[in-house]
Amino acid sequence: MSNDTLSTTTFNNFAKSLSTTASVLLAASNSDNNNNNGGTSIAESVILSYKSPYQAILKEALTSDTTATSAESALINYRKNQLNNNENNHKKNKNNNSFQNLYVAKNGKDYFKVKGSNVKSSFKVLSYISDELLEDLPSNSSSGSESERKPRKGNNKLSLQNKVTADVTKHAGAKALSDQVVPHNKQGSSKLGETNGPTLFQGFNASIPLIKKSIQDNNIKLLKNKGQKEGSAKEDSHNDDDDDGEFILPEGVNIDVLKKTYSLKLLKDGEASIYTNLDLLEIQKKIAASEINELDLKIKQLNSMRNLVFQRVAKIEQYEVFLEKHLSGIEDRIDMIEEYNLNEDEMESQLNGLSTESERKEGDVSNSMAHEKLANEVKNQQKKNITTTGLLDEQSLTHHLKRDKRKTLPTLQNYYGQGSLIQRYDKVCKTPTTAIDFDVPFGTMCIAAETNPEIKLWDLNKNKYIGELKGHLASTTCMQMDSRDILITGSKDATLKLWNIKRALDGGSYEPDECCLHTFDSHIDEITALSSDGESLLSGSQDRTIRQWDLVTGKCIQTLDLNFIRREKYRSNANSMTASMLLTKDIPAVGGLQVFDAALATGTKDGIVRLWDLRSGSVVRMLEGHTNAITALKFDSAQLITGSMDRTVRVWDLRMGNLYDYFAYESSVTGLQIDMNKIIVNLESCSQVAVYDRQSKSKIEHIFNDENSDELFERNDYVGCISYKDGYLLSGYASGTVNAWAI
Amino acid sequence: MSERLAYLPTLEDAYGELPPAQLEILRQQVLSEGGDIASIQSRFNYAWGLIKSNDVDNQRLGVKLLSDVYKEAPKRRRECLYYLTIGCYKMGEYTMAKRYIDALAERESSHNTQVFALKKMVESKIASQSLKGLALVSVVIGAAAYGINVYMRGSKKR
């Protein structure tokens, strides 16, 4: 068969034999120097004998230690450049196919076509395998045992396999193969590909029949289409027979004939061809299995890559937090200096003016002394100014509220799997948690617990206690935190407090009472709900009033009286009677409220949602439906969501003013958090929060995959309070533990 | 001893062109799986289909794809070397073929006759080719010498 190729084109053969001779001669001369690298030098000399743009890369790849990576990376770089060039060229010249693109190249000629180089040399470079790679062959020591384990099956298979090859290649139009199959049996020791089941070549042979079938099917389809166009009913029925069943017997096997025949030869032929088919299927199966393994491996690799990138994001975000912290520190200082006119540069010029005067009087010697003195004087004066004006005045309050928000927001929580536990904060509090909030994911958490007036501050990233806020006289029932380090809390002592968290963190530089920027003190019973939009603060209290506060002045602007709510309406209900007696805490008169600009929504004990206009102080609309006290309320631009002790969550359409969605739980709702896609519902005495998908309008079951959740339930632990922002959920438990979840 | 022996092609298997439709399907299979990131098997199928074709450029692309498979799948390297040898042999790239088969034979146990048979074939081919080449070169040199001789004589006569 070698003669066949030789006789095809004589000219080619001249060239070939010349180049082969040349390379053999070259190899001989090189082999004196180093036998091992003979291969490289052949290749090098052959490839470099062509003037091609690859010369530079090749030299780089071959000379620089010929490691697999360097060679490949050099090629990859070249390819990239080439691709870029070609993209540019493509715009100018549409005939120019982009180089190295399987999608574009219809055949080998297109594929290897490069400007400034001929097809052969580019082929050689592209298919070049470096020596390192060539020598890096997996060992075959482990494969021996496997083949010996099933010798019986092997013999059977061998003969079958030969038939398969023969069969397949015959179909593929090869030359007569009978003489080729025989030598296979004699050469009984090839171990190639033993470890991985079928070899690639087998896979190829096994896929040929499939391909033929698909071509046939296509043809049949075409025929069918034609037939249908012609409208021939007979043709249709015939085709139906053909398509009978998904599986067909191998070619030439007619089961009806075989069932009736007494010819042994016919039966044996049929048996053999079915055997062949089975074997083929077995190979296809193995190939599919190995493909699955391949994919698994890829998935594994991708997963580990994902982990690496994930770590990178985590690292970057930590760095961002670090920078933000320092930035805000600097901004604080700038603000302080600007506010109290402590600019050193100006002072310097001031001092220079003074010192020139003093220079004339006292001369050079005391110059520096006077300079220092004056500076101290000026500074002391201005420090007095600070102490006299105080830090808790209105100006600083506005200033604190007007500070810019953070420049960056953590997004790491989005890359955790849905419902996975991000972190567990053990024993944050000793008593059941009552209120929790955080500024940004992985930022600072504020948490309050029963019978404990202090509010604890916790670094979510470092899992570390960083301070506490003292000032309330009773435990905190509700809080709201924003990204400006401002925390508003409402307590059972009937006061609301505005805190600057920074001051508690700095540790030492501020007195504990200086952390509190303002106390809103007008209510006469415990605060049950609060909401702030940055300018005004709304608070609902057990004294059945809602007060609106101006955050800039700290004054109460408006009081909304809820006295019309009949206090005893649901007390007649026996169930809620016992419930409220069992619960030590009263049902809140105002379960939930939220403010946005002049719009206020309240959910109250009577189960009615009221929408208020704060400008007129009157109720605009009432949404009735809940049959028990509302305990939680949130709204966004389109919908208002309420949770109630009647164990339901209702979603109201704000524009239409009617019920949009409604779903029930096993126990009463105590808390509710929303974002665009999800509603997080905290249920009474439940070890896990419930999640509701707003888009698909369905509950998401078993979203949390924490292995400790069972344990939590056994301990009779329940979620006391939740806080949720940007896919990051904090749930505070009765045991004092806090869990961070990715939703 | 080994039932997988027949699982490797002989040199003859590399001949016998596939119908273009079949080759096209193999190609589409690779493309549908994402070109360069397609599964090893489908890339091999396409590569082997290309090697089987009679067009030198197609064979080249086939060898290129095979070398990609070699680079990417360490487990398949030994068999890939075998295929690469066959591909290069068919194309007439005997030096490349020799390089591959040498690397393979070095690591293969001596009783693997299939590999060594192929090795012998490659080596004999190279020997005959180089002989032919030498003969060609000597003929050319001889002809040149004769030509020069004739020219010189001619000039002398003048």
Side-chain angles (χ1 to χ4, degrees):
Chain A
M1 44 0 7
S2 52
N3 284 330
D4 285 353
T5 46
L6 282 176
S7 57
T8 42
T9 47
T10 43
F11 182 75
N12 262 351
N13 275 336
F14 277 162
K16 255 182 221 165
S17 43
L18 266 177
S19 74
T20 316
T21 317
S23 57
V24 164
L25 288 172
L26 277 169
S29 67
N30 276 327
S31 60
D32 295 339
N33 302 332
N34 45 353
N35 278 321
N36 289 339
N37 283 338
T40 326
S41 40
I42 297 172
E44 204 172 359
S45 55
V46 169
I47 296 166
L48 293 189
S49 62
Y50 296 96
K51 281 201 171 182
S52 75
Y54 292 109
Q55 249 170 343
I57 335 156
L58 253 191
K59 260 182 190 159
E60 191 190 320
L62 291 174
T63 53
S64 72
D65 219 25
T66 50
T67 55
T69 42
S70 73
E72 267 171 6
S73 64
L75 258 183
I76 286 165
N77 283 340
Y78 183 78
R79 276 192 208 181
K80 272 183 193 160
N81 293 338
Q82 196 72 26
L83 266 176
N84 289 340
N85 287 342
N86 269 328
E87 265 168 32
N88 295 336
N89 285 345
H90 205 72
K91 285 167 194 164
K92 294 171 198 165
N93 181 10
K94 281 190 178 175
N95 294 330
N96 197 353
N97 280 331
S98 79
F99 168 69
Q100 277 294 300
N101 193 344
L102 268 180
Y103 286 98
V104 179
K106 265 261 175 191
N107 56 29
K109 207 168 188 174
D110 293 341
Y111 190 80
F112 290 111
K113 202 187 273 170
V114 199
K115 218 196 244 171
S117 164
N118 69 7
V119 175
K120 193 174 179 184
S121 62
S122 64
F123 151 71
K124 283 206 170 171
V125 171
L126 285 175
S127 59
Y128 183 71
I129 297 173
S130 72
D131 280 350
E132 302 270 328
L133 265 176
L134 261 186
E135 300 195 359
D136 185 22
L137 287 173
S139 66
N140 53 359
S141 55
S142 59
S143 61
S145 58
E146 203 203 359
S147 64
E148 281 159 15
R149 238 191 294 148
K150 30 182 183 179
R152 259 179 303 155
K153 208 179 169 190
N155 280 338
N156 189 18
K157 251 191 170 174
L158 184 61
S159 56
L160 279 174
Q161 182 51 40
N162 288 334
K163 274 174 199 150
V164 173
T165 354
D167 186 46
V168 162
T169 32
K170 214 192 305 173
H171 278 288
K175 293 156 197 168
L177 277 174
S178 53
D179 56 334
Q180 287 163 25
V181 177
V182 179
H184 285 183
N185 284 329
K186 286 177 189 165
Q187 308 163 347
S189 54
S190 167
K191 282 188 173 178
L192 298 180
E194 226 168 46
T195 43
N196 311 317
T199 60
L200 291 172
F201 179 65
Q202 270 183 298
F204 172 77
N205 278 342
S207 61
I208 288 291
L210 286 182
I211 287 164
K212 269 192 216 142
K213 194 170 174 279
S214 77
I215 291 175
Q216 256 174 14
D217 286 353
N218 271 343
N219 288 341
I220 287 171
K221 262 183 204 166
L222 283 175
L223 275 175
K224 227 184 192 176
N225 287 342
K226 260 185 196 169
Q228 273 164 357
K229 270 173 197 168
E230 284 160 18
S232 148
K234 200 181 170 187
E235 184 105 353
D236 277 346
S237 67
H238 173 71
N239 278 332
D240 283 345
D241 283 347
D242 263 5
D243 293 339
D244 187 36
E246 200 182 333
F247 308 108
I248 49 159
L249 284 167
E251 221 175 300
V253 179
N254 191 335
I255 201 73
D256 296 331
V257 174
L258 284 180
K259 268 179 186 166
K260 285 169 193 162
T261 185
Y262 287 94
S263 155
L264 212 58
K265 188 184 170 289
L266 211 62
L267 280 171
K268 276 200 172 153
D269 281 354
E271 187 194 15
S273 86
I274 288 179
Y275 260 134
T276 311
N277 219 29
L278 269 179
D279 219 61
L280 214 64
L281 289 176
E282 193 63 20
I283 291 169
Q284 285 170 7
K285 196 168 90 183
K286 276 184 187 162
I287 283 155
S290 75
E291 234 159 88
I292 286 177
N293 286 339
E294 208 178 297
L295 286 175
D296 281 347
L297 205 75
K298 269 185 195 166
I299 289 168
K300 221 181 191 176
Q301 279 170 349
L302 285 175
N303 263 333
S304 64
M305 259 171 75
R306 185 189 191 278
N307 274 344
L308 282 178
V309 180
F310 182 83
Q311 298 294 332
R312 210 155 67 210
V313 173
K315 198 90 194 161
I316 289 167
E317 288 201 340
Q318 276 172 21
Y319 191 38
E320 273 182 358
V321 166
F322 171 79
L323 286 182
E324 290 265 358
K325 200 175 123 197
H326 285 269
L327 184 71
S328 75
I330 290 168
E331 275 173 356
D332 274 356
R333 185 136 187 95
I334 290 171
D335 288 343
M336 198 263 281
I337 288 166
E338 276 176 359
E339 199 170 328
Y340 301 114
N341 259 333
L342 280 169
N343 192 344
E344 228 168 51
D345 306 335
E346 280 175 23
M347 251 161 55
E348 202 76 10
S349 60
Q350 222 178 327
L351 282 172
N352 282 339
L354 286 171
S355 59
T356 43
E357 278 173 32
S358 61
E359 216 176 309
R360 282 171 205 152
K361 284 176 192 167
E362 293 179 36
D364 290 350
V365 189
S366 55
N367 183 17
S368 62
M369 285 251 302
H371 197 286
E372 242 171 67
K373 235 186 200 170
L374 280 165
N376 281 340
E377 257 174 53
V378 174
K379 268 185 185 166
N380 281 340
Q381 259 189 357
Q382 292 188 336
K383 266 180 190 162
K384 266 182 208 163
N385 274 343
I386 299 170
T387 44
T388 49
T389 46
L391 287 164
L392 301 174
D393 66 343
E394 291 168 15
Q395 253 195 329
S396 82
L397 204 59
T398 12
H399 159 73
H400 279 295
L401 294 170
K402 277 184 180 167
R403 256 239 318 274
D404 281 346
K405 291 199 174 181
R406 291 171 60 112
K407 285 189 175 54
T408 57
L409 276 177
T411 51
L412 191 65
Q413 71 275 8
N414 300 335
Y415 308 117
Y416 282 92
Q418 197 188 47
S420 62
L421 183 69
I422 295 173
Q423 192 148 16
R424 188 186 184 86
Y425 307 95
D426 269 321
K427 297 287 163 211
V428 175
C429 305
K430 292 186 185 74
T431 48
T433 54
T434 55
I436 190 169
D437 207 356
F438 61 95
D439 51 355
V440 287
F442 307 102
T444 310
M445 162 175 79
C446 299
I447 185 158
E450 267 173 32
T451 68
N452 209 352
E454 290 96 25
I455 295 148
K456 293 213 164 88
L457 301 179
W458 206 270
D459 188 318
L460 289 170
N461 205 7
K462 294 175 184 152
N463 190 4
K464 180 172 93 174
Y465 168 81
I466 45 174
E468 62 182 3
L469 302 167
K470 282 183 186 165
H472 277 305
L473 303 172
S475 70
T476 305
T477 54
C478 48
M479 62 170 71
Q480 187 179 336
M481 190 179 182
D482 59 23
S483 52
R484 300 168 300 184
D485 295 321
I486 295 291
L487 174 75
I488 305 166
T489 57
S491 162
K492 281 191 174 171
D493 64 5
T495 59
L496 296 139
K497 278 179 189 288
L498 181 70
W499 310 85
N500 184 350
I501 292 161
K502 263 283 186 49
R503 295 188 179 178
L505 303 188
D506 288 344
S509 64
Y510 287 98
E511 293 296 311
D513 57 328
E514 274 183 347
C515 301
C516 176
L517 296 173
H518 193 80
T519 304
F520 306 92
D521 186 5
S522 286
H523 280 296
I524 55 168
D525 207 340
E526 66 178 80
I527 314 294
T528 57
L530 67 84
S531 169
S532 162
D533 65 349
E535 286 180 9
S536 63
L537 165 69
L538 270 291
S539 63
S541 163
Q542 222 35 349
D543 62 10
R544 279 177 292 135
T545 57
I546 291 165
R547 282 175 191 272
Q548 183 186 10
W549 312 84
D550 188 337
L551 275 183
V552 178
T553 60
K555 300 282 188 309
C556 176
I557 312 169
Q558 190 169 199
T559 306
L560 306 168
D561 207 337
L562 297 172
N563 258 331
F564 50 80
I565 300 174
R566 278 167 293 158
R567 190 177 254 190
E568 303 304 319
K569 187 179 176 186
Y570 291 102
R571 283 291 159 98
S572 54
N573 189 322
N575 266 342
S576 69
M577 183 75 178
T578 49
S580 62
M581 276 170 75
L582 284 171
L583 293 167
T584 48
K585 47 190 171 188
D586 283 335
I587 302 163
V590 183
L593 60 83
Q594 192 180 339
V595 63
F596 182 77
D597 202 14
L600 169 71
T602 60
T604 44
K605 205 171 163 183
D606 56 0
I608 298 170
V609 179
R610 288 180 177 79
L611 305 180
W612 303 76
D613 187 342
L614 283 177
R615 287 164 295 199
S616 63
S618 59
V619 177
V620 184
R621 183 182 280 167
M622 305 223 301
L623 304 168
E624 294 182 48
H626 279 299
T627 56
N628 207 337
I630 291 170
T631 49
L633 178 147
K634 291 273 176 215
F635 66 78
D636 59 16
S637 56
Q639 289 172 345
L640 184 145
I641 296 137
T642 53
S644 159
M645 286 180 67
D646 66 5
R647 302 173 187 180
T648 61
V649 171
R650 279 162 200 265
V651 182
W652 310 86
D653 192 316
L654 276 178
R655 267 163 270 187
M656 304 296 290
N658 56 7
L659 193 64
Y660 173 79
D661 196 6
Y662 161 98
F663 46 101
Y665 289 102
E666 298 80 39
S667 54
S668 51
V669 177
T670 58
L672 192 102
Q673 299 277 320
I674 62 163
D675 71 354
M676 285 311 288
N677 302 316
K678 303 264 168 33
I679 301 173
I680 318 288
V681 184
N682 183 20
L683 300 169
E684 193 172 11
S685 315
C686 206
S687 68
Q688 197 52 276
V689 298
V691 181
Y692 184 83
D693 194 313
R694 292 176 73 177
Q695 308 300 335
S696 66
K697 288 174 101 178
S698 63
K699 287 177 192 171
I700 304 174
E701 310 278 355
H702 310 299
I703 167 170
F704 297 101
N705 48 16
D706 173 31
E707 60 278 1
N708 296 325
S709 56
D710 293 336
E711 183 201 325
L712 285 173
F713 197 67
E714 275 169 33
R715 277 192 281 143
N716 233 349
D717 207 347
Y718 62 89
V719 179
C721 50
I722 54 171
S723 181
Y724 175 69
K725 269 172 209 163
D726 303 323
Y728 186 85
L729 171 76
L730 282 181
S731 58
Y733 287 85
S735 61
T737 301
V738 175
N739 279 349
W741 307 90
I743 300 292
Chain B
M1 183 182 159
S2 164
E3 75 270 29
R4 313 190 189 230
L5 149 83
Y7 291 26
L8 279 181
T10 53
L11 201 49
E12 286 80 0
D13 286 331
Y15 293 91
E17 202 173 13
L18 291 181
Q22 284 191 20
L23 193 61
E24 183 58 25
I25 283 183
L26 288 172
R27 180 171 171 266
Q28 289 303 331
Q29 179 65 27
V30 172
L31 294 192
S32 71
E33 287 178 33
D36 281 341
I37 56 159
S39 78
I40 298 292
Q41 181 66 57
S42 29
R43 267 191 286 170
F44 172 80
N45 286 355
Y46 183 42
W48 192 249
L50 285 169
I51 284 175
K52 276 170 94 76
S53 99
N54 290 333
D55 180 24
V56 163
D57 287 316
N58 277 347
Q59 291 168 17
R60 280 181 183 147
L61 181 56
V63 170
K64 156 74 177 62
L65 292 178
L66 265 185
S67 68
D68 286 349
V69 170
Y70 177 89
K71 282 168 194 161
E72 274 171 44
K75 277 186 186 171
R76 298 290 194 187
R77 280 195 181 156
R78 284 166 63 235
E79 46 175 317
C80 265
L81 273 185
Y82 187 83
Y83 307 136
L84 276 169
T85 309
I86 290 180
C88 292
Y89 184 92
K90 192 190 172 192
M91 276 163 54
E93 300 284 354
Y94 301 114
T95 32
M96 282 172 87
K98 176 137 174 54
R99 189 165 164 254
Y100 294 140
I101 196 74
D102 281 349
L104 180 62
E106 221 171 274
R107 272 158 202 80
E108 215 53 45
S109 48
S110 55
H111 54 268
N112 191 333
T113 43
Q114 207 171 357
V115 167
F116 284 90
L118 185 65
K119 188 172 188 243
K120 248 176 222 161
M121 277 172 87
V122 172
E123 275 163 359
S124 66
K125 198 80 198 172
I126 286 178
S128 71
Q129 289 279 301
S130 50
L131 264 180
K132 268 184 201 164
L134 276 177
L136 206 80
V137 166
S138 50
V139 163
V140 166
I141 289 173
Y146 179 76
I148 288 168
N149 196 11
V150 165
Y151 177 76
M152 293 293 271
R153 268 187 204 166
S155 63
K156 262 184 189 175
K157 271 182 184 174
R158 255 183 228 168

